[in-house]
Amino acid sequence: MRSAVNDLLGAFDKLVMDPVHGGIPLYRHEIQVIDHPLFQRLRNICQNDILSLVFPGATHSRFLHSVGVMHVGGRMFRAMIDAYLRERQLSDHTDLSLNQLDAIDYLTKVIRLGCLLHDSGHSSFSHQFTKARRIHELMAHPERFHSLWSGQNYTRYYAAPPDELEHEHYSVRVAHEVLSAIALDESGLAMEDVLGIMETTTVEPSPAFKQHALTFWSFIAGPDAANGVLDQKDVPAMVMDLLSSIVSGEIDADRADYMLRDGFHSSVTIGGFNLDHLLSNLRFGWDVDSPWLGLAITHKGLGALEDFVYSRHQMYRKVYAHKTALGFDWLLREAINEVLDDPDNFDRVDACLTNMADFADLTDSFFWEAFRKHARAHPHSYSKCIVDRVKLDHLDTRDNLSEGQIEAHCDYLAEALALNRGDVVTCSMRARFSNIQENFNGIKVLVRDPVTGLRSLKKITEVSEFFSKFSDGTITHFYHRPAILRG
């Protein structure tokens, strides 16, 4: 029976080699997704905007990351299934029912596709794109959402249009477009189930998902599923929340992949953690009284979770918020604003953000060409700084300053260093630690009673003091504009 679960997705159609995870199996419907032009565009979008100007190896793409997240998401779910079977000491001679195998198969495929498509809506330079003022204005246009979904029924995923578009909304739109273009029915999957575990959506699961969710719930919860305390109509939403947490949560496939991948390609070790150790200690957790179904971790696995969370915190502080990297991010955003003053560039980006036929052209390459063109005509420009790697001159770094304190420190630096106040600029980043605080219920710890041997679920902060020792913090770097930008 263990072999039946392990071989459930064994008949893959292609194996791709990944520098971080090794061989990653792909199945026919996943290959169709990856081969779609809207997914192929991710090859030309860098995972970490222009971090490679500081860490030269960090040239890896959103394409690589997305395939890696799919692989990790599938591993997470199957690791929990394996642990469930192992701990219940089910033998190789005990057969899972066909319904149970079908449910595991269906949910695994939904997770993998949700993970594969989770970042498909990222545009040029990833997160820095939407932080540029001119781009933000474009995406905040009140009719943008309706134009993007023209001719399509968005009410399957959104009860009402969002107030402002983010890259997650574009990921949903891309996923809808891509999955509509492939033979998804042949894989037995319903599109709404995949989009339902992606961020920003609210979806009514398909009849197939509902049935598989009930089978899965009965399989893992046993007596708790059979005692009638939990209304069966609540089960599909609980299972969908579980799958969503694997795509985007505190212990999710997205974070696990980007920490390992960014650390590997940046040639730093502070983002390292033992993925195998973490996965081997993940479990399904549930509480029929809440009701709640989600991820749990064994008590002995807390160290792996602490490593995971702290490594992410350190990556923010030491890599993503590196003083030179944040300076280039500031220059990049200003360069994007600069080239959008050209009506041709503005109209093209506007069109790309409006319909899927043009969206495939919105890559890093578009802006690099625009930067080079502008730099040739304007040697004292932000674009010139990006093209020729002209850095902001770093002056100072401070933590956790208010806006008023930042302004006051700018004034101080300008006066003390005899600088033009207008040439002193700042860039800040929130160094995230974790949402796992005292009232956090997204993840629980499985604790075994030493006398009875029974297990109970506890909040992480009731078992570990680690998460109370750290918090988010804001890092602010102060810079002097380079000479070519000064009036």
Side-chain angles (χ1 to χ4, degrees), residues 342-361:
D342 182 324
D344 290 339
N345 290 336
F346 181 89
D347 291 344
R348 185 61 190 147
V349 172
D350 188 27
C352 289
L353 290 173
T354 300
N355 65 79
M356 287 293 102
D358 292 313
F359 189 69
D361 294 336

Side-chain angles (χ1 to χ4, degrees), residues 14-18 22-26 67:
K14 181 181 288 187
L15 186 72
V16 297
M17 299 309 297
D18 179 77
I24 295 179
L26 299 174
V67 174

Side-chain angles (χ1 to χ4, degrees), residues 308-327:
F308 177 82
V309 172
Y310 187 65
S311 294
R312 176 170 169 257
H313 181 63
Q314 287 295 89
M315 282 292 287
Y316 269 93
R317 296 194 67 87
K318 305 300 184 183
V319 177
Y320 308 137
H322 186 282
K323 64 181 187 299
T324 309
L326 277 196

Side-chain angles (χ1 to χ4, degrees), residues 14 125 128 140 144 186 193 244 278 315 330 403 425:
K14 181 181 288 187
F125 304 116
Q128 295 306 316
R144 181 74 58 190
E186 293 181 5
D193 298 336
S244 297
L278 180 65
M315 282 292 287
W330 186 89
E403 289 187 13
V425 298

Side-chain angles (χ1 to χ4, degrees), residues 120-147:
S120 57
H122 264 297
S123 297
S124 310
F125 304 116
S126 298
H127 291 286
Q128 295 306 316
F129 181 78
T130 53
K131 293 180 180 179
R133 173 181 50 81
R134 299 294 301 277
I135 297 298
H136 181 80
E137 292 169 356
L138 278 172
M139 293 181 70
H141 191 283
E143 294 302 315
R144 181 74 58 190
F145 181 83
H146 292 288
S147 299

